[in-house]
């Protein structure tokens, strides 16, 4: 296996508008206290695991003690989130990071109530001009690259039917991600189609495995996912199929199945954000980092991939890194046949983040 180290650079892209209304005083590194609200468990080998690895990377990079990191895990997207946030404030946290989409409204409410605490929310779209920002990454860049691996493998095995386990079908983060993956597959395999089945939950091990099994029954050749556990990868492994994971390198759960996986390096954002809190320079800027900044990347291109996969992925990555390619490049039609992106047009990051339609060739349900 070979790592795609050559496609990862270290820069910083921050979008948004900062305001001088929030005057943050510097905090001694020895005294700062940080809170984290996780939707799952740090052992899920998926979304929460990836976030926790970022927390640990930040802690190591900044030299913080264990007692300076307070973690609330397995927090549901309801009043339990409000309770967790309040408890972290009461425990003296100077900055709190909430990592699931459904935490957004609770973070907004508590941030207004406690203007002297920094609140940073992952994957949402709300913020204020004082102490509340949001952060995420251009995951669609590496979704596209992983789709290339899937498309080439589908062509090699002679079954051009991809399967995708999706948490939701109405959340833009899920929709643009699976669209980008499919566009990557289609770029190297024009005959490929994709069936998407939905669990209606970010984290449900049973539903994720059952949904993957339904895709197996549908006759797909490669299963990918936007959900939090390794269930789809294990389903592919047990049925002699192939898989593209998500969040972290999950090859150990499907050694004969896994092709690669889009992965997160949350420490790239967290280290910078916490250092700014320490320095007193933090501002409520909304952050959208990507491949060039190292926030997103890819797991190993495994030996399960079709010949030429690494070369194809690296060539595509170079065009994303140099800005000559933007993933959603027209002409693109949706699965009703309507033109969504005109020929010669490339969607901006802002436009991508609001996609609520599916690319032609994708079936949902």
């Amino acid at each position: 296996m070979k790592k795609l180290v050559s496609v990862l650079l270290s820069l910083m892209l921050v979008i948004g508008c900062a305001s001088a209304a929030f005057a943050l005083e510097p905090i001694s590194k020895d005294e700062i206290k940080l809170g984290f609200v996780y939707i799952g468990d740090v052992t899920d080998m998926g979304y929460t695991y990836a976030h926790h690895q970022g927390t640990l990377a930040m802690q190591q990079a900044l030299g913080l003690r264990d007692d300076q990191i307070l973690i609330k895990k397995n927090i549901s997207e309801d009043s339990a989130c409000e309770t967790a946030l309040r408890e972290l404030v009461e425990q003296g946290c100077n900055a709190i990071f909430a990592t699931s989409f459904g935490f957004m409204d609770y973070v907004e409410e508590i941030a207004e109530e406690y203007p002297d605490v920094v609140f940073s929310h992952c994957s949402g779209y709300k913020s204020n001009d004082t102490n509340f920002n949001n952060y995420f990454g251009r995951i669609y860049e590496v979704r596209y690259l992983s789709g290339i691996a899937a498309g080439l493998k589908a062509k090699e095995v002679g079954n051009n039917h991809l399967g995708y386990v999706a948490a939701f079908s109405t959340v833009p983060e899920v929709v643009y991600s699976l669209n980008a993956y499919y566009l990557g597959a289609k770029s190297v395999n024009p005959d490929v189609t994709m069936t998407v089945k939905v669990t209606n939950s970010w984290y449900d091990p049973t539903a994720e495995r059952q949904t993957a099994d339904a895709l197996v029954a549908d006759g797909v050749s490669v299963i990918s996912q936007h959900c939090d556990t390794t269930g789809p990868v294990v389903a592919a492994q047990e049925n002699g199929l192939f898989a593209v994971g998500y969040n972290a390198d999950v090859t150990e759960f499907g050694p004969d199945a896994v092709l690669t996986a889009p992965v997160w390096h949350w420490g790239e954002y967290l280290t910078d954000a916490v250092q700014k809190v320490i320095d007193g320079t933090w501002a409520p800027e909304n952050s959208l980092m990507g491949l060039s900044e190292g926030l997103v990347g890819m797991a190993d291109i495994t030996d399960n991939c079709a010949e030429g996969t690494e070369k194809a992925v690296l060539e595509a990555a170079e065009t994303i890194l140099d800005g000559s390619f933007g993933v959603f490049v027209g002409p693109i039609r949706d699965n009703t046949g309507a033109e969504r992106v005109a020929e010669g047009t490339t969607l901006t990051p802002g436009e991508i983040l609001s996609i609520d339609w599916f690319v032609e060739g994708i079936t949902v349900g």
Side-chain angles (χ1 to χ4, degrees):
M1 298 186 293
K2 299 179 180 179
K3 292 185 181 293
L4 301 179
V5 177
S6 61
V7 302
L8 302 179
L9 303 176
S10 179
L11 300 171
M12 182 68 181
L13 176 66
V14 178
I15 62 172
C17 180
S19 169
F22 183 47
L24 181 68
E25 295 295 327
I27 301 171
S28 168
K29 186 179 77 170
D30 292 333
E31 296 179 359
I32 192 170
K33 190 173 287 188
L34 306 171
F36 293 84
V37 184
Y38 297 156
I39 192 172
D41 193 270
V42 298
T43 62
D44 69 1
M45 288 308 298
Y47 186 74
T48 297
Y49 170 82
H51 273 285
H52 189 58
Q53 293 304 300
T55 299
L56 295 177
M58 174 275 298
Q59 180 182 2
Q60 182 177 21
L62 299 181
L64 303 182
R65 302 182 310 276
D66 288 347
D67 65 350
Q68 294 177 272
I69 309 292
L70 305 181
I71 295 172
K72 301 287 187 180
K73 58 185 180 180
N74 294 314
I75 303 300
S76 52
E77 294 175 318
D78 51 29
S79 61
C81 177
E82 178 181 355
T83 299
L85 292 168
R86 290 187 183 280
E87 289 177 350
L88 290 171
V89 171
E90 292 168 1
Q91 289 173 291
C93 288
N94 308 104
I96 298 173
F97 298 85
T99 63
S100 190
F101 181 84
F103 294 162
M104 179 171 59
D105 290 343
Y106 300 101
V107 177
E108 180 183 37
E109 176 187 347
I110 303 302
E112 183 175 355
E113 190 172 338
Y114 296 97
D116 294 330
V117 178
V118 167
F119 290 87
S120 200
H121 176 243
C122 179
S123 80
Y125 54 84
K126 290 186 176 181
S127 60
N128 64 27
D129 62 356
T130 54
N131 66 326
F132 170 34
N133 80 322
N134 65 70
Y135 66 98
F136 203 57
R138 301 189 301 277
I139 193 65
Y140 52 85
E141 295 175 343
V142 284
R143 285 287 193 182
Y144 182 92
L145 298 178
S146 66
I148 291 174
L152 289 173
K153 192 64 183 182
K155 180 186 292 187
E156 181 184 68
V157 301
N159 177 345
N160 293 317
H161 188 188
L162 305 180
Y164 199 102
V165 179
F168 297 95
S169 61
T170 56
V171 176
E173 173 194 338
V174 180
V175 177
Y176 67 67
S177 291
L178 66 87
N179 278 337
Y181 172 79
Y182 178 67
L183 288 172
K186 198 170 180 65
S187 73
V188 294
N189 184 352
D191 297 326
V192 75
T193 59
M194 187 166 81
T195 296
V196 176
K197 292 188 179 296
V198 182
T199 65
N200 289 310
S201 172
W202 292 115
Y203 178 75
D204 187 331
T206 300
E208 290 168 30
R209 177 56 198 262
Q210 291 175 342
T211 303
D213 287 339
L215 289 169
V216 172
D218 278 355
V220 304
S221 57
V222 182
I223 300 175
S224 189
Q225 64 184 85
H226 195 132
C227 55
D228 289 359
T229 76
T230 59
V233 169
V234 175
Q237 173 73 20
E238 293 179 354
N239 288 278
L241 304 178
F242 299 94
V244 172
Y246 181 44
N247 291 306
D249 188 343
V250 291
T251 305
E252 63 179 291
F253 298 95
D256 303 314
V258 172
L259 306 177
T260 185
V263 298
W264 293 99
H265 302 295
W266 293 110
E268 296 295 321
Y269 171 75
L270 294 174
T271 301
D272 180 75
V274 173
Q275 184 64 60
K276 287 177 177 176
V277 175
I278 292 170
D279 295 339
T281 60
W282 187 91
E285 298 168 331
N286 297 329
S287 177
L288 188 68
M289 300 163 67
L291 187 62
S292 62
E293 298 84 15
L295 186 75
V296 302
M298 283 182 67
D300 292 358
I301 296 290
T302 73
D303 292 339
N304 300 322
C305 288
E307 184 177 354
T309 296
E310 184 174 24
K311 180 176 183 292
V313 168
L314 285 172
E315 288 177 350
E318 289 173 1
T319 66
I320 292 173
L321 287 165
D322 67 20
S324 63
F325 181 70
V327 178
F328 287 87
V329 179
I332 300 176
R333 294 185 178 276
D334 67 19
N335 60 359
T336 71
E339 183 178 77
R340 292 290 187 162
V341 186
E343 185 171 1
T345 299
T346 299
L347 294 187
T348 65
E351 291 170 331
I352 293 171
L353 298 186
S354 63
I355 286 176
D356 60 358
W357 45 267
F358 300 95
V359 172
E360 188 174 41
I362 295 175
T363 300
V364 182

